[in-house]
Amino acid sequence: MQDEPTPAELTKAVADFLRNDIAPLISGHQAFKLRVGINALDLVVRQLTLAEQGEFAELARLKALLAADGSLSDLNRALADKIAKGAMDLSTPGLKEHLWQTTLDKLAVDQPNYTSYRREAGRTDGDA
């Protein structure tokens, strides 16, 4: 196994090649399908570079919020159960902030050009 280039670097290189060298040469429906493919590659790059950090932070927040240990999926299930049963709501200290940050972290990977995400991600006052 090679250390360089990383999977993210390889995927980005392919996306850049398609975007810069191939896309200008085609039009119509084929160009549309190419843009869909490029967008998918861009998403993979963001998943490889951002998702792990967001999930790690989400797990740490969940452990603190629930005062429990477990996997990300188990703790998310426990949180959803507590919310559904009314044991936690937006008045629960830390819940609103956790939900807000988790949403921003997921949008950074999935929809970083979404206008509302860009506006909120750029806020520095911490008010959600």
Side-chain angles (χ1 to χ4, degrees):
M1 176 120 144
Q2 300 296 316
D3 294 328
E4 297 290 331
T6 67
E9 291 168 337
L10 286 170
T11 305
K12 183 180 182 321
V14 171
D16 289 345
F17 167 72
L18 293 172
R19 183 181 359 266
N20 299 326
D21 295 349
I22 304 301
L25 303 175
I26 62 174
S27 61
H29 190 66
Q30 297 303 319
F32 168 76
K33 291 193 298 188
L34 178 62
R35 284 192 310 275
V36 169
I38 292 167
N39 288 339
L41 292 171
D42 289 339
L43 176 60
V44 170
V45 169
R46 291 189 304 273
Q47 287 174 334
L48 290 169
T49 58
L50 299 173
E52 184 177 7
Q53 180 181 353
E55 289 174 359
F56 181 78
E58 180 182 2
L59 181 61
R61 288 191 307 271
L62 282 168
K63 287 179 178 182
L65 191 60
L66 297 170
D69 200 10
S71 69
L72 184 59
S73 60
D74 289 343
L75 293 178
N76 268 314
R77 204 171 300 115
L79 177 62
D81 187 54
K82 286 183 178 287
I83 292 170
K85 290 180 178 176
M88 294 182 105
D89 60 26
L90 291 178
S91 67
T92 302
L95 179 59
K96 178 181 170 186
E97 294 78 12
H98 166 71
L99 295 173
W100 186 247
Q101 189 58 55
T102 299
T103 299
L104 289 177
D105 290 347
K106 290 181 184 297
L107 285 171
V109 173
D110 188 54
Q111 295 292 327
N113 293 321
Y114 182 55
T115 304
S116 295
Y117 163 74
R118 292 174 65 137
R119 180 186 66 240
E120 295 303 317
R123 289 170 51 150
T124 58
D125 63 2
D127 186 31

